[in-house]
Amino acid sequence: MRDEADASRGSRSRATTKSSEDYLEAILVIRRLRGSCRNVDIAERLGFSKASVTKALGNLARKGLVEVVDHDVRLTAAGKHLAEETLSKHRLFERLLANAGVNAEVASKEVCRMEHCISTDSFEKLSSHLGRIQDSLR
């Protein structure tokens, strides 16, 4: 049963978890906003202690997803790919729920769950399908 669940996640491998994806997404967003990213920035954004962030970053570094250089948290190529993929899912679901009239607070919580449970293949097909629908309405 676990193998089926792992396979259904698409590019999300056993090496990444919801938590890992949340960290990678946060790092990507922070770096885009500020140009750099520190442990304290991640802790503030995710609402975790600095110690928890430091431990998580160590795990992500061992998986080859981040590197910390002079207190600056950077994504590796693999980490950036996963972060961008997660952020794309987040933004699509955020728009869908907002357009459907879902309360912003409820949508925010639900989007954070939705972005982690859809496989890359399903997400790409859904995104493409929605794009075709939107194009046909123009």
Side-chain angles (χ1 to χ4, degrees), residues 61-95:
R62 279 189 290 285
K63 293 175 184 177
L65 299 172
V66 302
E67 58 186 10
V68 181
V69 179
D70 296 327
H71 303 290
D72 185 28
V73 182
R74 301 173 185 174
L75 297 167
T76 63
K80 186 173 183 184
H81 176 78
L82 282 170
E84 288 175 341
E85 187 176 85
T86 303
L87 185 60
S88 293
K89 292 174 182 180
H90 184 104
R91 289 186 172 156
L92 176 81
F93 289 127
E94 189 173 57
R95 282 193 312 271

Short mmCIF file of all heavy atoms in Angstrom, two decimals, residues 61-95:
data_model
loop_
_atom_site.label_atom_id
_atom_site.label_comp_id
_atom_site.label_asym_id
_atom_site.label_seq_id
_atom_site.Cartn_x
_atom_site.Cartn_y
_atom_site.Cartn_z
N ALA A 61 19.67 19.63 3.58
CA ALA A 61 21.04 19.68 3.04
C ALA A 61 21.56 18.27 2.78
O ALA A 61 22.19 18.01 1.75
CB ALA A 61 21.96 20.43 3.99
N ARG A 62 21.30 17.35 3.71
CA ARG A 62 21.74 15.96 3.52
C ARG A 62 21.06 15.32 2.31
O ARG A 62 21.62 14.43 1.67
CB ARG A 62 21.45 15.14 4.77
CG ARG A 62 22.51 15.33 5.86
CD ARG A 62 22.35 14.35 7.01
NE ARG A 62 21.18 14.62 7.83
CZ ARG A 62 21.06 15.61 8.72
NH1 ARG A 62 22.06 16.44 8.90
NH2 ARG A 62 19.96 15.76 9.41
N LYS A 63 19.87 15.78 1.97
CA LYS A 63 19.14 15.26 0.80
C LYS A 63 19.55 15.98 -0.49
O LYS A 63 19.06 15.67 -1.56
CB LYS A 63 17.63 15.40 1.01
CG LYS A 63 17.09 14.52 2.11
CD LYS A 63 15.62 14.79 2.34
CE LYS A 63 15.11 13.96 3.51
NZ LYS A 63 13.70 14.25 3.82
N GLY A 64 20.43 16.97 -0.35
CA GLY A 64 20.91 17.69 -1.52
C GLY A 64 19.93 18.71 -2.07
O GLY A 64 19.99 19.07 -3.24
N LEU A 65 19.04 19.22 -1.21
CA LEU A 65 18.02 20.16 -1.66
C LEU A 65 18.33 21.61 -1.31
O LEU A 65 17.82 22.53 -1.97
CB LEU A 65 16.65 19.76 -1.09
CG LEU A 65 16.17 18.37 -1.51
CD1 LEU A 65 14.92 17.97 -0.74
CD2 LEU A 65 15.93 18.32 -3.01
N VAL A 66 19.13 21.83 -0.27
CA VAL A 66 19.54 23.19 0.12
C VAL A 66 21.01 23.19 0.51
O VAL A 66 21.59 22.13 0.78
CB VAL A 66 18.71 23.75 1.32
CG1 VAL A 66 17.23 23.79 1.00
CG2 VAL A 66 18.99 23.00 2.60
N GLU A 67 21.56 24.39 0.55
CA GLU A 67 22.89 24.59 1.11
C GLU A 67 22.85 25.91 1.87
O GLU A 67 22.11 26.83 1.51
CB GLU A 67 23.96 24.60 0.03
CG GLU A 67 23.77 25.64 -1.04
CD GLU A 67 24.79 25.52 -2.18
OE1 GLU A 67 25.52 24.52 -2.24
OE2 GLU A 67 24.83 26.45 -3.00
N VAL A 68 23.61 25.97 2.94
CA VAL A 68 23.67 27.19 3.74
C VAL A 68 25.10 27.72 3.64
O VAL A 68 26.05 27.03 3.99
CB VAL A 68 23.29 26.93 5.22
CG1 VAL A 68 23.35 28.21 6.02
CG2 VAL A 68 21.91 26.28 5.31
N VAL A 69 25.21 28.94 3.11
CA VAL A 69 26.51 29.57 2.91
C VAL A 69 26.48 30.91 3.64
O VAL A 69 25.70 31.80 3.28
CB VAL A 69 26.80 29.79 1.41
CG1 VAL A 69 28.13 30.47 1.21
CG2 VAL A 69 26.72 28.47 0.65
N ASP A 70 27.31 31.04 4.69
CA ASP A 70 27.37 32.28 5.48
C ASP A 70 25.98 32.73 5.92
O ASP A 70 25.60 33.89 5.71
CB ASP A 70 28.06 33.40 4.69
CG ASP A 70 29.52 33.09 4.39
OD1 ASP A 70 30.17 32.43 5.23
OD2 ASP A 70 30.00 33.49 3.31
N HIS A 71 25.24 31.83 6.50
CA HIS A 71 23.88 32.08 7.01
C HIS A 71 22.84 32.32 5.93
O HIS A 71 21.69 32.65 6.24
CB HIS A 71 23.87 33.24 8.02
CG HIS A 71 24.78 33.03 9.17
ND1 HIS A 71 24.55 32.09 10.15
CD2 HIS A 71 25.96 33.62 9.48
CE1 HIS A 71 25.52 32.12 11.03
NE2 HIS A 71 26.41 33.03 10.65
N ASP A 72 23.21 32.21 4.66
CA ASP A 72 22.27 32.39 3.55
C ASP A 72 21.80 31.01 3.09
O ASP A 72 22.62 30.20 2.67
CB ASP A 72 22.94 33.16 2.40
CG ASP A 72 21.99 33.48 1.26
OD1 ASP A 72 20.78 33.62 1.51
OD2 ASP A 72 22.47 33.60 0.12
N VAL A 73 20.50 30.77 3.17
CA VAL A 73 19.93 29.48 2.77
C VAL A 73 19.64 29.53 1.28
O VAL A 73 18.90 30.41 0.81
CB VAL A 73 18.65 29.16 3.56
CG1 VAL A 73 18.11 27.80 3.16
CG2 VAL A 73 18.91 29.24 5.06
N ARG A 74 20.24 28.61 0.55
CA ARG A 74 20.08 28.57 -0.91
C ARG A 74 19.53 27.22 -1.34
O ARG A 74 19.86 26.19 -0.77
CB ARG A 74 21.43 28.80 -1.58
CG ARG A 74 22.06 30.11 -1.20
CD ARG A 74 23.45 30.26 -1.74
NE ARG A 74 24.06 31.50 -1.26
CZ ARG A 74 25.30 31.83 -1.47
NH1 ARG A 74 26.09 31.02 -2.15
NH2 ARG A 74 25.77 32.97 -1.00
N LEU A 75 18.74 27.25 -2.39
CA LEU A 75 18.22 26.02 -2.97
C LEU A 75 19.21 25.46 -3.97
O LEU A 75 19.80 26.23 -4.75
CB LEU A 75 16.89 26.30 -3.68
CG LEU A 75 15.74 26.78 -2.81
CD1 LEU A 75 14.61 27.32 -3.67
CD2 LEU A 75 15.24 25.66 -1.91
N THR A 76 19.39 24.16 -3.98
CA THR A 76 20.16 23.52 -5.03
C THR A 76 19.24 23.45 -6.25
O THR A 76 18.06 23.79 -6.18
CB THR A 76 20.59 22.09 -4.63
OG1 THR A 76 19.41 21.31 -4.46
CG2 THR A 76 21.43 22.10 -3.36
N ALA A 77 19.76 22.98 -7.36
CA ALA A 77 18.93 22.84 -8.57
C ALA A 77 17.74 21.92 -8.28
O ALA A 77 16.61 22.23 -8.67
CB ALA A 77 19.77 22.31 -9.72
N ALA A 78 17.99 20.81 -7.60
CA ALA A 78 16.90 19.87 -7.28
C ALA A 78 15.91 20.51 -6.31
O ALA A 78 14.69 20.35 -6.46
CB ALA A 78 17.47 18.59 -6.68
N GLY A 79 16.41 21.24 -5.33
CA GLY A 79 15.54 21.91 -4.37
C GLY A 79 14.70 22.99 -5.03
O GLY A 79 13.51 23.14 -4.74
N LYS A 80 15.31 23.74 -5.95
CA LYS A 80 14.59 24.79 -6.66
C LYS A 80 13.49 24.19 -7.52
O LYS A 80 12.38 24.73 -7.59
CB LYS A 80 15.55 25.62 -7.50
CG LYS A 80 14.88 26.82 -8.14
CD LYS A 80 15.88 27.72 -8.83
CE LYS A 80 15.15 28.94 -9.40
NZ LYS A 80 16.05 29.79 -10.16
N HIS A 81 13.78 23.09 -8.17
CA HIS A 81 12.78 22.42 -9.00
C HIS A 81 11.56 22.02 -8.17
O HIS A 81 10.42 22.30 -8.55
CB HIS A 81 13.38 21.20 -9.70
CG HIS A 81 12.39 20.42 -10.48
ND1 HIS A 81 11.94 20.82 -11.72
CD2 HIS A 81 11.72 19.26 -10.19
CE1 HIS A 81 11.05 19.95 -12.16
NE2 HIS A 81 10.90 19.00 -11.25
N LEU A 82 11.80 21.38 -7.03
CA LEU A 82 10.70 20.97 -6.16
C LEU A 82 9.94 22.17 -5.60
O LEU A 82 8.71 22.17 -5.52
CB LEU A 82 11.22 20.11 -5.01
CG LEU A 82 11.53 18.66 -5.34
CD1 LEU A 82 12.27 18.00 -4.18
CD2 LEU A 82 10.26 17.90 -5.65
N ALA A 83 10.67 23.22 -5.24
CA ALA A 83 10.04 24.42 -4.70
C ALA A 83 9.15 25.08 -5.74
O ALA A 83 8.01 25.49 -5.43
CB ALA A 83 11.11 25.40 -4.22
N GLU A 84 9.64 25.20 -6.96
CA GLU A 84 8.85 25.82 -8.03
C GLU A 84 7.62 25.00 -8.36
O GLU A 84 6.54 25.54 -8.61
CB GLU A 84 9.71 26.05 -9.26
CG GLU A 84 10.71 27.17 -9.06
CD GLU A 84 11.68 27.35 -10.21
OE1 GLU A 84 11.85 26.42 -11.03
OE2 GLU A 84 12.28 28.44 -10.29
N GLU A 85 7.77 23.68 -8.35
CA GLU A 85 6.65 22.79 -8.60
C GLU A 85 5.58 22.96 -7.52
O GLU A 85 4.39 23.08 -7.81
CB GLU A 85 7.16 21.35 -8.64
CG GLU A 85 6.16 20.32 -9.06
CD GLU A 85 6.82 18.96 -9.17
OE1 GLU A 85 6.92 18.27 -8.13
OE2 GLU A 85 7.24 18.59 -10.27
N THR A 86 5.99 22.99 -6.28
CA THR A 86 5.06 23.15 -5.16
C THR A 86 4.38 24.51 -5.22
O THR A 86 3.16 24.63 -5.03
CB THR A 86 5.78 22.97 -3.81
OG1 THR A 86 6.41 21.68 -3.80
CG2 THR A 86 4.82 23.05 -2.64
N LEU A 87 5.14 25.56 -5.51
CA LEU A 87 4.58 26.90 -5.60
C LEU A 87 3.58 27.02 -6.75
O LEU A 87 2.54 27.67 -6.62
CB LEU A 87 5.70 27.94 -5.74
CG LEU A 87 5.27 29.40 -5.73
CD1 LEU A 87 4.56 29.75 -4.42
CD2 LEU A 87 6.48 30.30 -5.94
N SER A 88 3.86 26.37 -7.87
CA SER A 88 2.92 26.38 -9.00
C SER A 88 1.59 25.74 -8.61
O SER A 88 0.52 26.26 -8.94
CB SER A 88 3.50 25.63 -10.20
OG SER A 88 4.60 26.31 -10.73
N LYS A 89 1.67 24.62 -7.92
CA LYS A 89 0.46 23.96 -7.44
C LYS A 89 -0.29 24.87 -6.48
O LYS A 89 -1.52 25.03 -6.58
CB LYS A 89 0.80 22.64 -6.75
CG LYS A 89 1.34 21.58 -7.70
CD LYS A 89 1.79 20.35 -6.93
CE LYS A 89 2.38 19.31 -7.84
NZ LYS A 89 2.83 18.11 -7.11
N HIS A 90 0.44 25.48 -5.57
CA HIS A 90 -0.16 26.37 -4.58
C HIS A 90 -0.93 27.50 -5.27
O HIS A 90 -2.08 27.77 -4.95
CB HIS A 90 0.94 26.95 -3.68
CG HIS A 90 0.43 27.80 -2.58
ND1 HIS A 90 0.36 27.36 -1.29
CD2 HIS A 90 -0.06 29.06 -2.57
CE1 HIS A 90 -0.16 28.33 -0.53
NE2 HIS A 90 -0.40 29.37 -1.30
N ARG A 91 -0.29 28.13 -6.22
CA ARG A 91 -0.92 29.28 -6.90
C ARG A 91 -2.14 28.89 -7.71
O ARG A 91 -3.13 29.61 -7.74
CB ARG A 91 0.12 30.00 -7.76
CG ARG A 91 1.14 30.73 -6.90
CD ARG A 91 2.07 31.55 -7.72
NE ARG A 91 2.91 32.36 -6.84
CZ ARG A 91 4.09 32.83 -7.17
NH1 ARG A 91 4.59 32.59 -8.37
NH2 ARG A 91 4.78 33.55 -6.31
N LEU A 92 -2.07 27.75 -8.40
CA LEU A 92 -3.23 27.30 -9.17
C LEU A 92 -4.42 27.03 -8.25
O LEU A 92 -5.53 27.52 -8.49
CB LEU A 92 -2.91 26.04 -9.98
CG LEU A 92 -4.14 25.49 -10.72
CD1 LEU A 92 -4.37 26.28 -12.00
CD2 LEU A 92 -4.00 24.02 -11.00
N PHE A 93 -4.20 26.27 -7.19
CA PHE A 93 -5.30 25.95 -6.29
C PHE A 93 -5.81 27.20 -5.56
O PHE A 93 -7.00 27.34 -5.31
CB PHE A 93 -4.89 24.86 -5.29
CG PHE A 93 -4.74 23.51 -5.93
CD1 PHE A 93 -3.58 22.79 -5.79
CD2 PHE A 93 -5.76 22.98 -6.70
CE1 PHE A 93 -3.43 21.55 -6.38
CE2 PHE A 93 -5.62 21.74 -7.31
CZ PHE A 93 -4.46 21.02 -7.15
N GLU A 94 -4.91 28.12 -5.27
CA GLU A 94 -5.29 29.37 -4.62
C GLU A 94 -6.25 30.16 -5.53
O GLU A 94 -7.28 30.66 -5.08
CB GLU A 94 -4.03 30.18 -4.33
CG GLU A 94 -4.23 31.39 -3.48
CD GLU A 94 -2.88 32.00 -3.12
OE1 GLU A 94 -2.10 32.35 -4.04
OE2 GLU A 94 -2.59 32.11 -1.91
N ARG A 95 -5.90 30.25 -6.82
CA ARG A 95 -6.77 30.95 -7.78
C ARG A 95 -8.11 30.24 -7.94
O ARG A 95 -9.16 30.89 -7.97
CB ARG A 95 -6.08 31.06 -9.14
CG ARG A 95 -5.04 32.14 -9.22
CD ARG A 95 -4.60 32.43 -10.67
NE ARG A 95 -4.27 31.23 -11.44
CZ ARG A 95 -3.06 30.68 -11.50
NH1 ARG A 95 -2.06 31.19 -10.82
NH2 ARG A 95 -2.85 29.62 -12.23
#
